[in-house]
Amino acid sequence: MLTTFSSPRADRLLSWALRLAGAMAVLVLGGIVLVLLIQSAPFLFDHGSGLWRNDWQPGQARYGMAAMVAGSIVVSVLALLMAGPLAVLLAAWLRYFAPVLRRPTLALVELMAGIPSVVYGLWGMLVLVPWINQWAPPGASWLAASLVLALMILPLALLVTDTALDQLPARYLQAGQALSLSRVGMLRRILLPQAGPSIVSGLVLQFGRALGETMAVLMVAGNVVQWPTSLFDPVRTLTANIALEMAYATGDHRVALFASGLLLLLVTALLLLLSWRLRGEKHALA
């Protein structure tokens, strides 16, 4: 029999180290928010109403972000609509219909999740964009950006769904078997509804990741500031705009880019709060 002895001094050191790490994380996040607020506040007071125009022309002191906000949202929403259902179906199929393939597939998925976003962007630029260009020029478009983002968020969405299904109590499966439900019936009526809040919470976080992606979208979206009216229209997202223009921006132009960063931070915070709320509802139901 093994007995583990713990030193009170070591416990105190570990406790303080954890508190220090937590405090540093809060300070870093608070510092980011503070810098964005300090940089953006004067501009928002002077030009706040103009941010919702469609024209982004810094040389003429026009800083309308509406088209780029729309571009960010439609690209991310389409990516989530493509990756989310596919991730849920694949996770359920691997766990309940093809358990032999589950481990090797999840290992491959974990490898995909670790691929840098610029690699996905390079693949999209060299393979996907020319392929779309054959059907609807110029190829770099809303559709190309959403497809690349869907491929990027699919691995983590699948892993989140698999984890949510794995955490379900065994009694749910036993109840379905006692009712003589088929595996499809158990999934549709018992398992997926019970795991639903955790799955949706994970998908909300993946939507936030898609919304904040920069390099891959910049390489395949076309980067034209316009309202997207077709899947094949080039679009520009807020993150791509910051990456493209921050290097040479000065004056109000530079501050406008900080304001767009603050807007992205607020949207991400709202998505995080929504994810926490969904998880809280899941625990309340349990």
Side-chain angles (χ1 to χ4, degrees):
M1 181 178 178
L2 296 177
T3 303
T4 302
F5 295 96
S6 178
S7 168
R9 183 178 179 183
D11 289 344
R12 287 195 298 270
L13 288 175
L14 179 59
S15 176
W16 279 107
L18 293 173
R19 292 177 184 177
L20 179 62
M24 289 180 62
V26 173
L27 287 175
V28 169
L29 179 58
I32 293 173
V33 174
L34 184 62
V35 169
L36 289 175
L37 285 173
I38 291 174
Q39 293 287 340
S40 305
F43 178 83
L44 292 175
F45 284 119
D46 295 335
H47 304 279
S49 59
L51 297 181
W52 304 110
R53 296 199 303 258
N54 296 327
D55 53 337
W56 175 266
Q57 298 177 7
Q60 301 179 18
R62 297 178 181 175
Y63 304 104
M65 301 181 188
M68 291 183 289
V69 171
S72 298
I73 292 174
V74 298
V75 166
S76 301
V77 167
L78 182 58
L80 186 65
L81 290 177
M82 290 189 288
L86 183 58
V88 173
L89 291 174
L90 278 175
W93 179 74
L94 288 171
R95 176 167 288 276
Y96 300 110
F97 295 87
V100 176
L101 299 177
R102 180 172 169 268
R103 284 187 177 276
T105 303
L106 290 183
L108 179 62
V109 167
E110 290 173 355
L111 179 63
M112 289 179 61
I115 296 176
S117 61
V118 69
V119 176
Y120 285 104
L122 184 63
W123 171 83
M125 186 173 63
L126 297 180
V127 178
L128 186 60
V129 169
W131 180 73
I132 296 176
N133 182 57
Q134 295 177 0
W135 302 95
S141 59
W142 169 10
L143 178 62
S146 292
L147 285 171
V148 170
L149 279 180
L151 190 61
M152 290 178 59
I153 66 177
L154 176 63
L156 288 178
L158 194 153
L159 292 173
V160 166
T161 304
D162 181 76
T163 301
L165 292 173
D166 185 56
Q167 291 177 346
L168 290 176
R171 67 176 183 272
Y172 292 143
L173 192 60
Q174 295 168 356
Q177 292 171 343
L179 293 172
S180 299
L181 294 176
S182 64
R183 283 179 289 184
V184 174
M186 283 190 289
L187 276 171
R188 186 167 60 89
R189 299 183 181 183
I190 300 176
L191 301 177
L192 288 180
Q194 290 297 324
S198 295
I199 294 173
V200 174
S201 173
L203 293 179
V204 168
L205 293 179
Q206 293 311 304
F207 177 75
R209 183 196 176 194
L211 198 64
E213 179 54 43
T214 304
M215 283 306 301
V217 175
L218 186 151
M219 296 168 75
V220 300
N223 300 309
V224 177
V225 181
Q226 63 178 0
W227 276 84
T229 58
S230 166
L231 287 174
F232 305 105
D233 284 346
V235 296
R236 180 182 292 191
T237 64
L238 284 173
T239 51
N241 189 59
I242 295 172
L244 285 169
E245 300 188 6
M246 183 57 80
Y248 62 86
T250 58
D252 284 345
H253 182 194
R254 183 172 183 271
V255 178
L257 296 178
F258 275 100
S260 61
L262 180 63
L263 178 60
L264 282 170
L265 182 62
L266 292 176
V267 172
T268 303
L270 289 175
L271 291 172
L272 185 59
L273 290 174
L274 177 59
S275 173
W276 287 346
R277 181 178 179 84
L278 291 169
R279 290 180 183 178
E281 289 180 355
K282 188 256 183 182
H283 291 312
L285 291 174

